[in-house]
């Protein structure tokens, strides 16, 4: 069992957010269902939310492929994807204010039940920050709403890159004036951890087997030689001496 003694150099813990820290799927489905009932709207919100998330990586890839257009923050990418999906789903009667409310749902996501207590314990000994593709405004509002005790917010608009670009991981370490080996990425996604590990960061895996609901096909368990593996943030804190 890996413990703090095995990772003595680590000074900062960086967290993937969507899926690792917050339940984006359950939160968005509940939010849109409750909101639409008040508005008298009806749609298959579960399918829309799943499609919205499936647009996430392709939208970031478009930013990578077209650097001449400049960096586009995730709030904007979410809005663009939503406008396309609403048209494809034939959802009628949505105003600009409605689309804005829906997009801002990503700022209202709820944390998994173990997160706030686990982060509070970890904060005793480590610097805590997101390392997310979300932009700083999105993540700051999310942390405020969800009660996440981060010390700072590192979003994609700081490095102006999206994971798994090396600039995101190395840029975060540089921002903290730490060597890569003094930083641990905590994530529920093996591919995110692999990218970080290849650049010298330490890694912590916490599985979220219900992140995608019935659509989940991967990340049920660790598939790499990660420095720490825990079932939840409480066990992560214990493993790291908090």
């Amino acid at each position: 069992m890996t413990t703090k003694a095995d990772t003595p150099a680590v000074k900062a813990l960086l967290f993937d957010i969507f899926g690792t820290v917050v339940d984006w799927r359950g939160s968005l489905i509940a939010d849109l269902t409750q909101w639409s009932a008040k508005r008298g709207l009806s749609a298959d919100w579960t399918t829309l939310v799943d499609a919205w998330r499936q647009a996430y990586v392709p939208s970031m890839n478009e930013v990578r492929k077209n650097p001449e257009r400049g960096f586009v923050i995730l709030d904007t990418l979410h809005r663009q994807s939503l406008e396309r999906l609403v048209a494809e789903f034939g959802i009628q009667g949505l105003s600009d204010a409605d689309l804005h409310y829906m997009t801002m749902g990503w700022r209202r996501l709820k944390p998994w039940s173990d997160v706030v207590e686990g982060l509070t314990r970890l904060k005793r000994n480590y610097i805590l920050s997101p390392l997310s593709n979300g932009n700083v405004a999105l993540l700051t509002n999310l942390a405020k709403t969800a009660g996440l005790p981060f010390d700072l917010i590192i979003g994609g608009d700081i490095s102006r890159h999206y994971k798994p670009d090396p600039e995101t991981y190395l840029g975060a370490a540089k921002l903290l004036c730490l060597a890569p080996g003094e930083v641990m990425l905590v994530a529920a996604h093996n591919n995110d951890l692999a990218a970080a590990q290849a650049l010298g960061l330490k890694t912590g895996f916490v599985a979220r087997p219900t992140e995608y609901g019935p659509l989940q096909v991967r990340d049920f368990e660790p598939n790499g030689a990660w420095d720490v593996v825990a079932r939840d943030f409480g066990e992560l804190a214990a493993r790291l001496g908090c």
Side-chain angles (χ1 to χ4, degrees):
M1 181 178 73
T2 304
T3 66
K4 181 176 174 55
D6 300 305
T7 55
V10 173
K11 295 179 172 62
L13 304 177
L14 305 180
F15 294 84
D16 170 69
I17 294 298
F18 305 121
T20 302
V21 170
V22 296
D23 174 13
W24 58 265
R25 187 176 189 270
S27 299
L28 285 171
I29 292 169
D31 190 325
L32 293 176
T33 299
Q34 293 167 11
W35 166 78
S36 63
K38 296 175 183 177
R39 288 277 284 104
L41 296 169
S42 179
D44 184 351
W45 300 119
T46 297
T47 303
L48 177 72
V49 166
D50 287 333
W52 204 0
R53 182 61 171 178
Q54 288 165 10
Y56 175 71
V57 171
S59 70
M60 293 186 294
N61 285 340
E62 283 300 307
V63 176
R64 291 191 185 92
K65 293 175 185 175
N66 299 281
E68 72 282 356
R69 300 178 188 171
F71 185 77
V72 182
I73 64 173
L74 192 60
D75 271 338
T76 301
L77 296 180
H78 277 152
R79 173 62 184 260
Q80 291 171 349
S81 297
L82 178 63
E83 290 177 357
R84 174 178 59 80
L85 289 168
V86 163
E88 289 180 6
F89 277 59
I91 302 173
Q92 304 293 323
L94 296 177
S95 65
D96 182 76
D98 290 333
L99 292 169
H100 179 72
Y101 176 86
M102 295 170 73
T103 302
M104 293 299 102
W106 290 91
R107 299 185 178 196
R108 298 187 296 270
L109 304 177
K110 307 298 183 185
W112 299 106
S113 61
D114 57 282
V115 164
V116 174
E117 181 182 358
L119 289 177
T120 301
R121 289 168 58 187
L122 290 162
K123 188 180 173 74
R124 299 171 192 164
N125 296 340
Y126 299 95
I127 296 167
L128 306 184
S129 173
L131 182 60
S132 171
N133 290 324
N135 47 293
V136 171
L138 187 168
L139 296 169
T140 301
N141 282 274
L142 173 57
K144 190 76 170 178
T145 301
L148 306 176
F150 291 126
D151 295 299
L152 74 160
I153 302 292
I154 302 176
D157 45 340
I158 290 182
S159 66
R160 298 181 70 80
H161 282 269
Y162 285 124
K163 295 188 295 182
D165 292 357
E167 290 87 350
T168 59
Y169 308 100
L170 297 178
K174 184 177 180 181
L175 190 66
L176 293 169
C177 295
L178 296 175
E182 295 177 308
V183 176
M184 176 180 287
L185 176 68
V186 178
H189 309 124
N190 286 285
N191 60 348
D192 197 3
L193 295 175
Q197 186 180 69
L199 296 167
L201 278 71
K202 299 299 184 181
T203 51
F205 179 85
V206 178
R208 299 298 187 194
T210 63
E211 176 186 355
Y212 287 87
L215 301 182
Q216 185 113 353
V217 295
R218 61 182 182 276
D219 295 323
F220 291 105
E221 57 186 26
N223 63 13
W226 314 133
D227 295 289
V228 177
V229 174
R231 64 177 176 271
D232 57 26
F233 276 27
E235 185 177 16
L236 178 69
R239 293 281 179 90
L240 293 177
C242 300

